[in-house]
Every structure is written in structure tokens, then in C-alpha cells.
Amino acid sequence: MSAEAADRVAAVGGSRPSTPLQTSWFEFLLDGSLLEKHLEKSNPDPLPVQLIIQFLEQASKPSVNEQNQVQPPADNRRNRTLKLLALKVAAHMKWDLDVLEKGLTIPVLNMLLNELLCVSKVPPGVKHVDLDLSTLPPTTAMAVIIYNRWAIRTIVLSSFPEKQTKPGPHQMNIIVQQEKEMTENILTVLKEQAADSISVLEGALRLKKDFYVHTLRTLDLLAADAAANGETESSTAGLRISADELHCQVHYDLGGIFFQHGFTDQPAFEKARDHFRQTKELLRKLDSTVHVHLDEKRLAGYWNACKAMTGDCEPSDPQSTLYDQINSLIRANNYQAVIEAFIKDNVSRSLPNHFRQSVLREFLYKVQQGESGLDLVCHKLCVCNAVRDALEGEVLSVRFQQLLFKPRKLMVDFILEVCTRSLEKDRPSETSRRHMANFLKTLCESLEDLSLVFVVSSHKLFMELLKEEERKVLVEQMRKRSATINLSGKPLPSFYDIPASASVNIGQLEQQLILSLEPRRIRQILIELHGMAERPFWRVNSKWEVPPDYINVILGIKDNLTKDLVYILMAKGLHCIAIKDFVHARQLFSACLELVTEFSPKLRQVMLNEMLLLEVRAHETMASEGSKERPPPDLVSRVRGYLEMRIHDLPLRQVVGEECVAFMLNWRENDYLTLQVPPSLVMNNPYIKIGQLLASTCKELPGPKESRRTAKELWDVVVQICSMSIQHKRNNDGRVGLIKHRESSMGIMHRSKFITFIKKLREPLVLTTLISLFVRLHSIVRDDIVNEVTAEHLSIWPSTLPNIQAVDVEAVAVTVKELVSYALTLNPNNQSWLITQADIYFVTNQYSAALNFYFQAGAVCSDFFTKAVPPDVYTDQVAVLCQFLREVDYMTAFKALQEQNSHDSMDSFYDYIWDVTILEYLTHIHHKRGEIEKRQIAIKAIGQTELNTSNPEEVLQLAAQKRKKRFLQAMAKLYF
């Protein structure tokens, strides 16, 4: 007998209690009466919402045809029945959107309600806003109302913050991501149609008749095709919902959407207030609210918020006076009075906590928006709320605990004042006294400054509430803790000497853990968390990431607290480096190094490597911001040590080696790269190989011809990186064709990694060398002898390629553009790079951009055209620029001037032409075309005495220089 059979026999025999088997979804297909029986159970398994998910999931499964192609779900009897079953479950739940929204995801609920529209015979292809609800059958109108209620509720709910899901298995993550994308797409559509949904629901409020919604019976009738006799469309079919019940629910839903709109459209708060007022009035009017599903506490919160935002108050509302008083004080900027009101409320406890918290959030928002002088108000309100929480035995807020990290004496004095004034004056209750005593003890434990601890412990209230023995024990603990901290001579106190503070709940501690950047505080929080629950807290924030190279080593740490601490310290340090907060990164990494040194030589070396990368990036950041300070010899020595390091079984990050090589090139440590780096490293590390070739090539520039051997080696390596593997394949006609595989790099690294490496370089000669190499390679693969791109040192590179077919032309073109653009971000005034960029635009027919960069190059080398532009700067421009050449290019100039369809405003530049031959030609063509006004402009220009050809040569040269300067300055104003 099998094990499974034995289990079944044992269960039947009663040797152990039997567990009822869960009913499978397909059983409801086989037995039409099973669903109602199942739903009538007190604890049905599966639950109704789970049944809806199962039915719709099965009905929406794609099918596969005979050719093994995936097809949309079939429209067959099985799938139609499954969808109907899902609707029947929702009908049993009386279409309660509160329950459906909690149990179903947005995509599933969207599918369910669209199916409801379909079976309710809502006209397809017609916008809901264009339907007249009063003329539709009752169940059809109700289906439209339910769908549009859900639409605006979903928009409101989606704006609330959600707790981030923890990462799971890879396959599960893919499913979650797909569902997230579906949800975002649905929300986009709902938001686009929000105005229509609001109009539909406002139309529903104008209907004064009762409404009817589908029940299990009406859905059964639909399935049996009994709708032909009109029964399901009659006024009595379905579940009756009174007009007041529906209007109450719709007013509440509309109030929610208008309240959300109020943050961007202030008058919307007034609409929200009116809808919530109607909701409250209808709730009072209704004898029964069976079909009204709303959160009355949330309604009260909405109502108070609307009154605050609109400035309204109702005398009949017993709490309106106090609310209105607080809001009036805020509007009048009387902040001290707000603080006083909060302190008094600590005794009366009239204001609900959520209102007090919302006032604090409002002030914090004002601070974020840049309003000055409100920081102290926020701190004082936070203290008032903390004391109120303490008196009610609640957990202290994270914000208050952050306030205690480094408080001033004035703040401690204020805390004690609030504590004193918050206890009942006559005879405070024993509970209040006990809670206040605990608060004062927590305050002492949270303060690191011993002098502030004595301020608290010597206060009258402290002496009254705590017994003498309690006071002595607490003060002695504080003294010991202070001694432990002060005796530590290290820059960072040892982790094992830090006490844990008073505990708070896990959620708040996790929030502190996410926010904190202080290593000591991070460990303190983790100790408390591990005392409450044993789970991996390194997963608290999905944005905490450590490199994949290290993950196995870190997760292999056996002690869970240490594992969490190492992971979080490293992840936070890496994040700080990414945002260039190097101060905190050093603190976090130093703490992590101290920790791992105790137990893992491997992790110690990992941290030393990461700290090296930190210092390299910090120094490179300073250099990119203009610092000329060379790196200290110690840092250069550590970089060399890393490049030569060979430790067995040590995880190494490629980026560390990559940035170390870039660092050596940027600081011109060429002697090391060319002469001292071990040959084995050059063979095994592609970045060192490229670094050595670049250093050698730069070192030999300009150099004699025989020194170009290194340049040829660099050329070969780069050509291989930009090449594709080629396969020969015989076509159907028998001829052999070529197949190129762009993604399979033949070089020592992929092109994308090579580009990433290049963009870490900033040494001008290194970048000029690379630009020169790619310009030559680009020219060869383009094979255009007419339009050449110029660059420095082109002569050191080969002029031909033996296997040109293998080179990825597109990759070369993209790389040369990226490289020159990147170089110009580092130095936008490099004349050579500007000319190269201009030439690239010129040969790709982007003439406006080309002219822009030509003018920039001219401006750079002539002090913005106050001096003569060197003759080798400009080459092939037209008309006026043709005069700049050593030999005036009359053919190009005349050809340009003959164009009648140009839009270059050439006639406005005639005053800048100094070549008489060009001006005479202009006079001739304008006369020939009958352009009298333009001919007169040309004649006026040619008639200037300083252009007379009989003038001495120096006069003509002076006239030319004057016009060159004026022309180039005028053009430069047009372009930059």
C-alpha cells in the first residue's frame, strides 16, 4: 500500500482527526447547486473572494491551437459558466465594494466588473457618460453605477501609500511585476476617464427611484436565457436598494475623489464638503443601512479636514469650536497659541490624535516648501504629541526619538515644561503618573549627554514620580554608559559596548533602520529588533543592495544579527557613495571593517577593496569639480597594490579594477602602467591591457615613426572590440551569404563595457588619443574621401583594414559621437574636439549643428573673435566663409549665391563681404534676376572706399580683418 493510500485509510479509520478537503473550482462546474450551499456555510473554504479569483483565472487562461500557437481564451460554454459563477459569488456578497477591494487585486476586480457590464447588457462601444440611466433597465443602470463607483474609489485608494512587498523567488517576482504593470495600465485608463465617471455618478444622484442589482437568481435566469421574457429587466427583478441608500454611498465616494482633487484644485474641497454633508444627513435619515458600506471614522476625518480646508464650521457640532479655533490660529500664523492649545489638550484630551498628527504634518510640509522659522514650531508640536502618546500608553513616534539624538538644553527644558503642565493639576490619576514616569525614564535613556540627563533627573517632576531607588539605579546606569562611551579612544566606538535603548514597536524601529546613517544607531536598532523577532532584517528595504559578487559571502555569516549588520552597513555605504555622500560612506564602511575584522579575513579584504574604491571615487569627484590637488602617494600605492593583488577565493568586483586603471590614467601614472605592471596582469585583466596600451601610446606621442608599434597594438584591440563574428551560410539559391552577430564581441571586452570605461577617463591626452583612433576608424569604414573628419595625431594609425566586413559600422559611428560628446562635457573649450564634433555633424548633413560648433571653435581660439582666427580652423563653409580660406573658393561661393530657395538671410551679411569679386558677382546676379533692392545693397557694399582695389595692401587687409571680426561676432550671437 502506498503512503498516500495509508494516510487516507488512517483518516477514515479515525486514528487521527480528519481535515475537510477544500472544494476545487471545477466541482462547481459539475454541480450547479453546489455554489449556493458552499456560500451559505459559516466558514467556507475556499473563501468567496478566493473563488472569484479561481473562476476568473481559469476562464482567462489562453489556449494553444494545433500549431502550438498561443490563442486568446476561448469563448465557450465552460468559460462563460466560470465567469457567471464569479458574478454569482459577488452577488452573494451584495456587491460590497469594500470587501471586494480588500480581497481582489485591481486587475481581477476590473475583469469581474467588466463581465458584470457585459451580462447586464450595457451597450458596448458607448461611453457611460453618454448613457441615460433613467431609460436603462434597473440592473443595467446599477451595473454602470457600480463600475463607475469602483473607478473613482480605485483612483483614490491608489493614491494612498502601500507597504512594499518583500522580494520572493525569481518566478514569483516576474508574476508580481506583470500584475503591477497591468494595474498601472488600468489606473491610467481610469484616471483618463475620471471626469466621465464623476458625471455618471452625479447623474445617478438625480434619479429619485429605487435601484435593483443582480442576485444569484437573476444571474441564473440570464444563464437559462430567461431574459427573453423580460423578467431580468423588469423593475422588480434583483435586490432592491433604496434611492437614499445608493445616494448616501455615491455622495461618500464622490466626496473622496473631490477631496483628492482639492490638493491641486482648492475649490474641489468645497464640493467634497457638500458631498460629505449629504452623506451625514442621509445616514441620520436612514432607518437601515444594510446596503451602505462606508467607514464612519474616515467620514468624520474627511468632514473635519474639509471644514479646515474651507474655513467652515457648524455651531451644532460640539467639536467644531475647538477644531475651528486651531485652524484659525494656523491661518493667522499664531503658532505659539497652537502650541499652547496642544499642551492644554494633553490634559483634556479632546482632540483626536489623528487631528493633532495632521496639524504637525501640515507644518512639516510648510518647512519642506521652504517657509523659514517653522523648525522650532515643528519640534515643539512633536514634543506635545509625544507627551500625549506617553500619557495614553502609546509608542513614541520615530520623529520624537530622532529629536532626542542631539537635543539642546532649551528643548529638554521645554519637554519637562510640557510634562509638568500635561498632568492634571489637582489629583492626577495613578495611570497618568505611571505613564509619565516611564516617559521620563525613556527620556533619560535616550539622552547621550550626561549633563542633560542630570537636568531631567534633578527636575521636580522626576523626583515626585520616581521612587528614590528607581532614581539611583537609573542615574548609575547613565553614568556607566557615559564612561563606556568616553573611554573609547577610537574614532568609532566599538560595537560591542553600545547599550540598547527603550524598545518601540517593530514597524517604527524598521523605519528608523531605513533612515539612520549612524553605525552605532543602526546596530542599536538591530539589537532591539532581534530581541522582538527573529527574521532577516536586511530585507526591510528592497533598495538595499550589495554587489552579487559578495552576496554569498555575507549571507553565509551564521550569526543573524551580524549578517544583518554587515549587509545593511555595506548597502547604506554603497548608496552614500552613489549620491556622493562620502563622509557617511567612510563612517559606515569603517564600522563594517571593524566588525568583519573580528571573524572573517575574506570579508576584511572585501571591505578594504571597497574603501579603496570609495577613496578613488571621492578623489575623482573632487577633480571633476575643479580640484587640481594630486592624490596622496598612499592612495596611489594602494591602487597599485590592488591591481597586483592575487588572493585565492576572494570575490573581486570588476568595477574596482576598472576604476583603478582609469584613476592611474587620469593622474598620468604612465610609468607604472607601461614599465612596472606585471605581465601576467596585462594578459589576464582586459582593463589593465587597455590602460597599458593607452599609456604607452600617449607616452610616445608625437614620437618617431618606429614608435607607432604600440599605437598599432591599441588599434588592433579597439578594432576587435568593434567587430562582429561572421558566419558563412549558403542561401537557397546556392550562393554563400554572410551572417553578422552584433552581440557576440570578438574583442577582449564588449563594446558597452569599453564605452563605460572610456567615460571614466578625463585626462585630455588620453581622450584625444581615443578620439583620434575612432575618427580614423570611422573614416575607413565610411569610405568617404570627399568629407573627412579631422582630429589630432591621425597619422599614427593605420590607413586600411584587412577585414573591413567584420567591423560594426554603426557601432563605430555611435562610439565616435558618444566619445566626442563626452569629452566636450569635460572641456567645452577644447578647439580640437570642437572641430571634430563640427566635422562629424558636417559629414552627416547636420549643417546647422556643424556651423554652431565651427563658430565655437573659432571663438575659443580667437578670444571670441577679438583676434584673427587661425587659417586652419575653417575649411569648407560657403559664401562669406569662402573668403576665410587661404585661396578664396569662388566656385563654392558662386554656387551658394545662385540658390534662390535658401533661407540664410544672406543679403543682410553683404556688409561683411570684403572680396570685391564676390560683390561684383552678387551685383550681376541680382541685376539678372531683377532684384533691384538687393542689387542696391550689393552696390552700396562694393562702393565703400576702403575696399577699393587701388588701396595699399595693408588698408585692404585691415578692411578684411575688421569685417571678419564683425561677421563672426554677429554669427556667434545667433548660435550661442
Side-chain angles (χ1 to χ4, degrees):
M1 182 184 290
S2 68
E4 292 86 349
D7 283 347
R8 285 197 295 272
V9 170
V12 173
S15 59
R16 62 183 182 193
S18 62
T19 303
L21 293 174
Q22 188 183 70
T23 310
S24 296
W25 61 269
F26 62 82
E27 295 181 56
F28 297 99
L29 282 175
L30 302 174
D31 183 353
S33 64
L34 182 60
L35 183 63
E36 280 192 67
K37 295 176 186 174
H38 180 82
L39 294 173
E40 292 301 328
K41 293 178 182 177
S42 57
N43 291 303
D45 185 20
L47 294 168
V49 288
Q50 292 172 332
L51 276 178
I52 293 174
I53 294 168
Q54 291 175 17
F55 291 148
L56 292 179
E57 186 180 71
Q58 294 299 324
S60 60
K61 275 190 174 178
S63 57
V64 179
N65 63 13
E66 293 177 356
Q67 287 77 35
N68 210 28
Q69 296 171 324
V70 178
Q71 302 292 315
D75 184 17
N76 53 29
R77 183 181 175 187
R78 168 190 175 275
N79 287 348
R80 286 194 296 272
T81 304
L82 284 167
K83 292 175 185 176
L84 193 66
L85 287 170
L87 291 172
K88 289 172 77 172
V89 176
H92 170 78
M93 299 164 72
K94 296 184 172 58
W95 304 99
D96 183 348
L97 287 180
D98 271 354
V99 178
L100 291 170
E101 286 163 347
K102 287 173 184 172
L104 303 177
T105 62
I106 289 176
V108 173
L109 193 43
N110 179 60
M111 191 187 310
L112 178 74
L113 295 181
N114 272 293
E115 193 58 33
L116 173 64
L117 295 173
C118 183
V119 301
S120 302
K121 296 186 172 57
V122 175
V126 179
K127 284 186 172 183
H128 292 179
V129 74
D130 296 332
L131 297 171
D132 183 355
L133 295 180
S134 62
T135 64
L136 295 175
T139 51
T140 306
M142 194 62 184
V144 173
I145 292 169
I146 290 173
Y147 178 85
N148 287 282
R149 278 186 55 220
W150 169 75
I152 64 170
R153 289 164 64 98
T154 302
I155 293 170
V156 173
L157 287 172
S158 70
S159 67
F160 297 161
E162 291 183 357
K163 188 171 182 181
Q164 198 164 20
T165 55
K166 301 288 176 65
H170 177 67
Q171 192 66 30
M172 186 60 70
N173 288 343
I174 292 173
I175 295 170
V176 170
Q177 183 60 32
Q178 289 172 344
E179 185 173 288
K180 185 179 178 184
E181 289 172 4
M182 287 174 62
T183 300
E184 288 172 355
N185 292 337
I186 293 168
L187 282 172
T188 300
V189 174
L190 294 180
K191 288 173 183 176
E192 289 171 356
Q193 299 173 354
D196 287 354
S197 293
I198 291 170
S199 297
V200 169
L201 295 175
E202 288 174 338
L205 293 174
R206 291 192 288 272
L207 299 178
K208 304 304 179 185
K209 61 183 181 181
D210 291 342
F211 295 83
Y212 292 84
V213 67
H214 277 301
T215 61
L216 275 75
R217 179 174 176 275
T218 60
L219 291 169
D220 273 334
L221 291 172
L222 284 174
D225 206 19
N229 62 20
E231 183 177 352
T232 57
E233 297 181 5
S234 72
S235 60
T236 58
L239 175 67
R240 176 183 168 276
I241 298 174
S242 70
D244 282 346
E245 284 180 302
L246 183 75
H247 289 175
C248 181
Q249 189 72 65
V250 171
H251 276 302
Y252 178 75
D253 293 337
L254 284 171
I257 191 76
F258 281 121
F259 186 84
Q260 187 198 51
H261 289 174
F263 294 101
T264 53
D265 178 22
Q266 184 70 21
F269 281 124
E270 295 180 7
K271 292 183 181 179
R273 177 202 60 200
D274 294 340
H275 281 294
F276 289 131
R277 179 184 286 121
Q278 293 280 355
T279 307
K280 286 161 66 75
E281 289 174 359
L282 286 167
L283 276 175
R284 285 195 289 266
K285 175 183 174 183
L286 287 168
D287 296 327
S288 170
T289 57
V290 175
H291 304 301
V292 178
H293 307 287
L294 54 83
D295 184 340
E296 293 197 37
K297 286 186 178 179
R298 185 178 288 274
L299 173 61
Y302 271 138
W303 178 241
N304 291 329
C306 286
K307 288 192 299 179
M309 300 307 292
T310 58
D312 286 355
C313 64
E314 286 186 357
S316 59
D317 189 337
Q319 285 195 329
S320 63
T321 306
L322 188 53
Y323 286 131
D324 190 51
Q325 178 190 356
I326 298 287
N327 289 317
S328 298
L329 292 171
I330 293 172
R331 283 195 292 271
N333 297 334
N334 191 351
Y335 304 137
Q336 184 56 42
V338 175
I339 295 166
E340 286 295 318
F342 269 45
I343 295 174
K344 290 176 182 175
D345 183 65
N346 281 355
V347 179
S348 64
R349 303 183 199 173
S350 303
L351 292 171
N353 271 330
H354 63 77
F355 176 77
R356 293 171 59 117
Q357 292 296 338
S358 70
V359 171
L360 175 57
R361 282 195 295 271
E362 184 177 344
F363 278 97
L364 290 169
Y365 178 75
K366 288 181 178 183
V367 171
Q368 288 176 349
Q369 296 303 304
E371 288 194 35
S372 58
L374 293 182
D375 284 326
L376 185 58
V377 175
C378 291
H379 292 163
K380 289 188 173 183
L381 288 175
C382 181
V383 168
C384 293
N385 285 347
V387 174
R388 166 72 176 269
D389 289 338
L391 286 169
E392 294 182 343
E394 299 291 336
V395 175
L396 299 179
S397 70
V398 173
R399 191 171 299 280
F400 177 71
Q401 295 191 45
Q402 289 175 329
L403 197 62
L404 298 181
F405 284 168
K406 289 183 180 177
R408 292 178 298 171
K409 182 178 182 298
L410 285 173
M411 184 54 63
V412 175
D413 289 339
F414 179 75
I415 294 172
L416 292 170
E417 178 193 345
V418 174
C419 290
T420 304
R421 293 176 59 189
S422 297
L423 282 176
E424 298 91 335
K425 287 187 178 178
D426 299 332
R427 292 185 64 185
S429 68
E430 189 58 38
T431 303
S432 295
R433 289 174 61 88
R434 187 174 66 254
H435 285 160
M436 186 62 79
N438 289 336
F439 176 76
L440 293 174
K441 285 169 68 176
T442 301
L443 180 61
C444 285
E445 290 168 347
S446 301
L447 295 171
E448 291 188 2
D449 188 337
L450 197 59
S451 63
L452 295 178
V453 173
F454 286 126
V455 169
V456 177
S457 62
S458 59
H459 193 270
K460 180 183 176 184
L461 185 64
F462 184 91
M463 308 285 279
E464 287 177 1
L465 296 178
L466 274 80
K467 296 175 183 175
E468 185 177 357
E469 190 60 34
E470 285 182 293
R471 296 199 303 269
K472 285 181 179 178
V473 170
L474 186 61
V475 171
E476 189 58 33
Q477 285 177 351
M478 296 303 103
R479 281 199 176 114
K480 285 180 180 177
R481 188 186 72 178
S482 178
T484 302
I485 294 171
N486 292 334
L487 287 173
S488 175
K490 300 179 184 178
L492 184 78
S494 173
F495 276 112
Y496 301 101
D497 292 331
I498 302 171
S501 69
S503 62
V504 292
N505 69 36
I506 289 180
Q508 288 184 320
L509 282 172
E510 288 181 341
Q511 190 177 1
Q512 289 183 48
L513 187 63
I514 291 171
L515 294 174
S516 181
L517 288 175
E518 186 185 353
R520 295 173 66 253
R521 181 64 184 151
I522 291 168
R523 182 181 183 276
Q524 191 176 356
I525 294 166
L526 281 172
I527 289 173
E528 294 190 36
L529 284 170
H530 276 271
M532 296 176 178
E534 193 59 41
R535 65 170 188 247
F537 290 101
W538 59 269
R539 289 183 174 176
V540 164
N541 188 349
S542 62
K543 293 184 179 178
W544 286 340
E545 293 180 350
V546 301
D549 313 77
Y550 304 153
I551 191 75
N552 290 334
V553 182
I554 294 174
L555 296 186
I557 298 172
K558 292 181 180 179
D559 180 69
N560 290 331
L561 171 61
T562 307
K563 183 194 305 178
D564 284 345
L565 191 52
V566 172
Y567 188 100
I568 292 170
L569 289 173
M570 181 181 284
K572 282 176 175 280
L574 291 169
H575 172 71
C576 288
I577 294 173
I579 62 173
K580 298 184 180 179
D581 181 0
F582 298 113
V583 173
H584 278 114
R586 286 188 184 97
Q587 292 174 1
L588 291 158
F589 277 3
S590 296
C592 195
L593 176 63
E594 179 186 350
L595 180 63
V596 299
T597 299
E598 300 287 334
F599 66 90
S600 174
K602 186 183 293 186
L603 275 174
R604 178 181 180 277
Q605 189 58 54
V606 162
M607 287 312 305
L608 288 172
N609 295 346
E610 289 298 319
M611 292 178 78
L612 171 62
L613 180 60
L614 159 63
E615 297 304 331
V616 166
R617 285 187 176 170
H619 208 85
E620 288 296 290
T621 300
M622 287 169 54
S624 67
E625 292 170 353
S627 171
K628 303 296 182 186
E629 183 182 349
R630 283 192 61 80
D634 171 63
L635 180 56
V636 176
S637 176
R638 287 166 62 196
V639 168
R640 291 182 179 185
Y642 177 84
L643 292 175
E644 296 173 16
M645 181 179 61
R646 284 293 172 268
I647 300 177
H648 179 66
D649 198 29
L650 179 70
L652 295 174
R653 275 217 292 163
Q654 180 178 286
V655 69
V656 185
E658 179 185 348
E659 297 203 17
C660 282
V661 173
F663 175 84
M664 300 297 272
L665 285 169
N666 288 337
W667 292 103
R668 297 177 293 282
E669 292 288 332
N670 293 341
D671 285 342
Y672 172 77
L673 289 171
T674 55
L675 303 173
Q676 299 171 28
V677 65
S680 59
L681 289 183
V682 179
M683 296 296 294
N684 297 323
N685 189 322
Y687 294 103
I688 294 179
K689 172 76 172 175
I690 288 177
Q692 185 190 60
L693 292 174
L694 276 168
S696 300
T697 305
C698 292
K699 206 174 168 189
E700 293 170 356
L701 286 175
K705 193 166 185 178
E706 58 270 14
S707 69
R708 295 180 187 173
R709 180 182 56 81
T710 310
K712 176 66 168 61
E713 280 188 58
L714 177 61
W715 169 270
D716 290 339
V717 166
V718 172
V719 168
Q720 285 293 308
I721 289 173
C722 294
S723 295
M724 303 173 289
S725 64
I726 295 179
Q727 292 180 355
H728 295 271
K729 184 178 180 182
R730 192 171 297 278
N731 298 329
N732 293 334
D733 58 4
R735 289 181 297 175
V736 175
L738 296 179
I739 300 176
K740 296 185 177 182
H741 296 275
R742 176 170 279 118
E743 70 279 1
S744 56
S745 173
M746 298 173 63
I748 59 176
M749 68 176 69
H750 283 277
R751 189 181 67 90
S752 58
K753 291 184 177 179
F754 182 54
I755 295 292
T756 303
F757 173 68
I758 287 174
K759 290 184 177 179
K760 289 173 180 170
L761 302 174
R762 52 174 182 74
E763 209 287 317
L765 185 56
V766 174
L767 289 171
T768 297
T769 302
L770 283 167
I771 289 171
S772 173
L773 187 155
F774 273 99
V775 164
R776 170 50 62 88
L777 183 56
H778 187 234
S779 298
I780 293 173
V781 296
R782 277 183 62 253
D783 195 22
D784 184 351
I785 61 172
V786 177
N787 296 312
E788 288 287 338
V789 179
T790 57
E792 294 184 76
H793 312 302
L794 286 176
S795 61
I796 68 172
W797 312 112
S799 55
T800 58
L801 278 173
N803 190 11
I804 197 169
Q805 284 182 316
V807 178
D808 187 342
V809 179
E810 183 183 339
V812 173
V814 168
T815 304
V816 73
K817 288 176 185 175
E818 281 191 51
L819 178 53
V820 178
S821 297
Y822 165 70
L824 286 171
T825 63
L826 299 176
N827 182 5
N829 295 322
N830 187 300
Q831 177 196 324
S832 170
W833 298 347
L834 287 167
I835 290 292
T836 302
Q837 182 74 296
D839 285 348
I840 290 170
Y841 281 126
F842 187 82
V843 300
T844 53
N845 302 323
Q846 300 177 68
Y847 300 120
S848 178
L851 198 54
N852 185 349
F853 280 96
Y854 282 128
F855 278 121
Q856 286 189 49
V860 164
C861 65
S862 64
D863 197 11
F864 204 76
F865 304 118
T866 56
K867 302 173 185 173
V869 178
D872 59 341
V873 171
Y874 295 133
T875 53
D876 291 325
Q877 302 305 317
V878 296
V880 176
L881 291 187
C882 290
Q883 305 168 101
F884 283 78
L885 308 181
R886 289 188 181 90
E887 295 293 331
V888 178
D889 187 354
Y890 290 115
M891 290 294 291
T892 304
F894 293 164
K895 182 180 177 183
L897 295 172
Q898 285 173 3
E899 292 180 6
Q900 287 186 283
N901 296 324
S902 64
H903 302 280
D904 57 5
S905 305
M906 184 61 208
D907 48 313
S908 64
F909 290 105
Y910 286 179
D911 280 345
Y912 302 130
I913 297 176
W914 61 87
D915 189 275
V916 176
T917 305
I918 293 176
L919 287 170
E920 287 174 344
Y921 182 77
L922 276 171
T923 307
H924 166 69
I925 61 170
H926 288 318
H927 174 72
K928 189 175 178 181
R929 293 174 184 166
E931 296 168 343
I932 308 301
E933 290 183 10
K934 291 186 177 182
R935 178 173 175 270
Q936 287 302 116
I937 295 172
I939 290 173
K940 183 182 176 182
I942 203 172
Q944 296 173 83
T945 55
E946 55 192 346
L947 296 183
N948 191 319
T949 53
S950 301
N951 287 337
E953 184 63 25
E954 56 269 21
V955 174
L956 293 174
Q957 286 294 328
L958 189 62
Q961 290 300 329
K962 175 184 170 185
R963 282 162 176 75
K964 281 183 183 181
K965 175 182 173 182
R966 284 171 50 219
F967 168 71
L968 292 171
Q969 288 177 337
M971 290 296 288
K973 286 177 183 177
L974 290 177
Y975 280 93
F976 53 92

